Amino acid sequence: MTSVVRSFSTPVNIALNAAIVTVTDASPRILCMPGRPETGNSDGLPFGAFDPASHRTFESGLRESVESLTALTLGYVEQLYTFGDRGRHRVDGGEGGHPVSVGYLALTRIDKQAAEAISGTGARWRGWYDFFPWEDWRYGRPELLDTLILPRLSAWAVDAQSLEMTSRHQSRIRLAFGIGDFPWDEERVLDRYELLYEAGLLEESVADGRYATTGLVRPLGGQMQYDHRRIAATAIARLRAKIKYRPVIFELMPPEFTLTELQTTVEAIAGRHLHKQNFRRLVEGAELVEATGESSSRTGGRPAALYRFRSQILEERPAPGLRFGGRAGS
């Protein structure tokens, strides 16, 4: 048997993209760079090219790129996924090569000094629900699900080329958006984004040449350059899942905090309201925090006890996290 080795002439360019998340004023925010005319002036995630001559690892290259672009020194970082599908950029391949991006999730706390340094670079923090408004259930079911998204997705599914494809689309919609017997699952962020993209409801669908127009009076969430909103959706899904089995939420908290501040931060990330007493029982039962013996009155009400992360938990259990049960209401 003769084996055939194919040679490929299209060069591959590797970029390192960072979805950098913080929580301020009860709002989860993602760090964005200003867009350029060739990308429709849409915001994008910080990214830089990987240079094997100067970067020993992808992560070291990412950290160096982010610091040079935003003046931010990253702390917690984890790799998400490699994004390399053909057609993922408006201008793909050709002499410039095929773009492949290694996506990362980074978590940070922003103090006054860091905020001032970032502001001088052109980077800015934007609420991630500005890009994903259908994901915020903290104040109830988003109205646009029933007035816009689900009717348009239903019509798209019915217009499929075959009954089999229609059935497949309808099944994906039920599962991703929590229809019928399926509950809303806050972790299916990427599934929902992919459906909206495929159905032509997002500006990225138009920018990529897949649709002539979305047919919407106003964009469904803020557009990002290239496929950066897809990378951001992947980061949100990862973080929503990970806070349930690893104590990464404390990467977003100050060294000392009240239980109300901790709950507000968890709700901001999860995009759903949590019952106060149940949350406190969960935190106490998980033994993730310990009282400092001090209190704070920064909320303006009665002084509240201050807590800190109990780091010993990392040596006691293999998967310590906030395993809040149930799903957002449908």
Side-chain angles (χ1 to χ4, degrees):
M1 181 176 180
T2 303
S3 61
V4 178
V5 178
R6 297 181 61 190
S7 62
F8 297 91
S9 58
T10 304
V12 172
N13 300 320
I14 299 178
L16 307 169
N17 293 63
I20 306 170
V21 175
T22 194
V23 177
T24 59
D25 300 325
S27 176
R29 304 182 189 277
I30 193 163
L31 192 61
C32 294
M33 302 300 298
R36 301 184 299 273
E38 62 266 29
T39 62
N41 295 314
S42 300
D43 281 357
L45 301 176
F47 72 97
F50 173 68
D51 180 6
S54 58
H55 301 147
R56 188 178 65 84
T57 65
F58 283 171
E59 184 176 319
S60 65
L62 176 84
R63 290 178 182 276
E64 181 179 310
S65 296
V66 167
E67 188 164 359
S68 66
L69 287 170
T70 70
L72 181 64
T73 300
L74 294 180
Y76 178 90
V77 168
E78 70 168 277
Q79 190 176 128
L80 289 169
Y81 186 74
T82 299
F83 301 83
D85 295 351
R86 189 171 61 188
R88 59 183 292 264
H89 280 197
R90 188 178 310 161
V91 179
D92 196 10
E95 295 182 1
H98 178 68
V100 172
S101 293
V102 182
Y104 283 82
L105 166 66
L107 307 179
T108 190
R109 295 185 289 266
I110 299 300
D111 56 22
K112 183 178 180 180
Q113 183 178 0
E116 290 176 351
I118 291 171
S119 66
T121 66
R124 59 173 178 160
W125 292 102
R126 292 195 58 185
W128 78 21
Y129 294 124
D130 292 346
F131 299 107
F132 304 94
W134 57 87
E135 293 291 340
D136 190 0
W137 286 61
R138 289 174 294 174
Y139 313 105
R141 181 181 176 89
E143 183 181 354
L144 59 80
L145 281 173
D146 299 308
T147 59
L148 191 158
I149 289 176
L150 292 177
R152 282 288 301 269
L153 285 177
S154 178
W156 167 72
V158 170
D159 288 343
Q161 295 179 347
S162 67
L163 289 177
E164 180 183 359
M165 187 64 72
T166 291
S167 178
R168 190 178 307 162
H169 287 339
Q170 290 173 335
S171 179
R172 288 175 62 199
I173 293 167
R174 286 195 298 271
L175 185 60
F177 285 88
I179 298 174
D181 294 334
F182 295 104
W184 174 272
D185 185 341
E186 66 266 12
E187 296 176 27
R188 292 188 176 275
V189 186
L190 182 59
D191 295 341
R192 289 186 282 271
Y193 176 83
E194 296 285 15
L195 277 167
L196 294 170
Y197 176 86
E198 291 175 32
L201 289 173
L202 302 178
E203 293 297 324
E204 286 87 343
S205 308
V206 177
D208 292 345
R210 300 177 187 274
Y211 287 83
T213 176
T214 63
L216 301 177
V217 176
R218 291 184 298 178
L220 188 55
Q223 180 184 357
M224 280 187 167
Q225 61 183 258
Y226 305 129
D227 58 353
H228 289 196
R229 191 155 41 153
R230 182 182 180 218
I231 297 174
T234 307
I236 295 170
R238 173 72 64 84
L239 183 54
R240 284 182 167 183
K242 196 148 192 173
I243 61 176
K244 298 175 184 178
Y245 65 90
R246 296 297 295 170
V248 294
I249 194 68
F250 298 102
E251 299 289 341
L252 300 169
M253 301 300 299
E256 297 182 352
F257 48 84
T258 68
L259 291 184
T260 296
E261 290 168 340
L262 178 60
Q263 179 175 343
T264 299
T265 302
V266 172
E267 290 176 335
I269 296 299
R272 49 179 290 205
H273 174 70
L274 300 173
H275 187 274
K276 182 176 180 179
Q277 295 305 320
N278 289 346
F279 179 80
R280 297 200 170 201
R281 281 194 292 268
L282 172 66
V283 171
E284 292 169 359
E287 299 181 319
L288 293 172
V289 300
E290 59 187 7
T292 67
E294 304 293 330
S295 61
S296 169
S297 57
R298 57 179 171 252
T299 58
R302 293 175 55 189
L306 285 170
Y307 292 80
R308 57 178 166 247
F309 172 53
R310 195 174 71 85
S311 58
Q312 296 93 322
I313 195 71
L314 298 173
E315 302 173 1
E316 298 169 0
R317 292 210 307 271
L322 290 167
R323 296 178 180 274
F324 48 90
R327 304 294 185 190
S330 58

